[in-house]
Amino acid sequence: KQEVTQIPAALSVPEGENLVLNCSFTDSAIYNLQWFRQDPGKGLTSLLLIQSSQREQTSGRLNASLDKSSGRSTLYIAASQPGDSATYLCAAQYGNKLVFGAGTILRVKS
Amino acid sequence: AAGVIQSPRHLIKEKRETATLKCYPIPRHDTVYWYQQGPGQDPQFLISFYEKMQSDKGSIPDRFSAQQFSDYHSELNMSSLELGDSALYFCASSPGTLYNEQFFGPGTRLTVL
């Protein structure tokens, strides 16, 4: 069964800290690994997409890595800000569908 | 830049009623996906269409049906609504399938009373 797990479930950090969110997937036959941000009751904003042949992608203060063989991806957020507070979801693409993790709820305190 | 449009944004229905959700993909995107996100849960894949043909099917109840039209917009039809159908329904689109990034709409919040 294709499952995606995210650790930690919740994280609270002071402003300015660098942090790492972890994502693991059971089936390594993925096409892509996508990271999303979701604010409470809102839609999904795509942050980064890593294709299966790639090792990492960067966008501003965000860096995502992918180790397909070990079934892991990490999202690194540098110099966190209160505006980064949200739920971060990773999703592995199998065929046409995305299989989501339960998310990491991030709170950045000012 | 144009984004995925979903309508309505909010919908309230009674049990056993029907509902139709609409999705307008980003221009030149030929693939549409539907996801359901229950309260406090992660999004679950329902169904996808590529070039107006169903391309993949997930955990979509038999009470639900969907189609993609010639202008690439898609509709999700839900009948005999149950309380458990209350959720946020997302539509996403992509140019082609498989290796392409899925762009999500703002969602339709369906409440079944």
Side-chain angles (χ1 to χ4, degrees), chain A residues 7-76:
Chain A
I7 295 173
L11 186 60
S12 182
V13 299
E15 182 177 5
E17 269 202 13
N18 302 324
L19 52 98
V20 175
L21 307 182
N22 297 291
C23 171
S24 61
F25 43 95
T26 55
D27 183 349
S28 62
I30 63 171
Y31 286 98
N32 297 322
L33 194 291
Q34 211 168 334
W35 282 93
F36 294 89
R37 168 187 172 139
Q38 186 173 33
D39 293 286
K42 302 294 184 181
L44 298 166
T45 301
S46 180
L47 298 173
L48 289 165
L49 175 138
I50 312 175
Q51 294 187 348
S52 59
S53 59
Q54 298 175 323
R55 303 268 315 168
E56 67 178 311
Q57 282 287 333
T58 298
S59 176
R61 294 182 293 109
L62 305 179
N63 175 276
S65 66
L66 174 65
D67 185 340
K68 190 178 168 184
S69 60
S70 67
R72 293 179 185 175
S73 177
T74 59
L75 178 66
Y76 176 82

Side-chain angles (χ1 to χ4, degrees), chain A residues 30-32 34 36 38 40-49 51-53 89 93-103, chain B residues 9 31 33 35 37 40-45 48 50 55-58 88 90 97-107 109:
Chain A
I30 63 171
Y31 286 98
N32 297 322
Q34 211 168 334
F36 294 89
Q38 186 173 33
K42 302 294 184 181
L44 298 166
T45 301
S46 180
L47 298 173
L48 289 165
L49 175 138
Q51 294 187 348
S52 59
S53 59
L89 295 154
Q93 183 173 356
Y94 297 101
N96 292 299
K97 69 178 181 181
L98 291 176
V99 177
F100 285 83
Chain B
R9 294 293 309 277
T31 307
Y33 314 80
Y35 292 83
Q37 185 177 31
Q41 299 179 359
D42 51 283
Q44 295 292 317
F45 172 76
S48 64
Y50 169 64
S55 54
D56 208 343
K57 192 172 181 180
L88 198 52
F90 289 110
T97 61
L98 299 181
Y99 290 95
N100 294 297
E101 186 174 1
Q102 296 184 21
F103 295 86
F104 280 71
R109 182 169 297 283

Side-chain angles (χ1 to χ4, degrees), chain B residues 47-63:
Chain B
I47 196 166
S48 64
F49 292 87
Y50 169 64
E51 282 291 344
K52 292 152 279 186
M53 298 288 289
Q54 180 181 309
S55 54
D56 208 343
K57 192 172 181 180
S59 51
I60 184 169
D62 292 340
R63 298 177 289 108

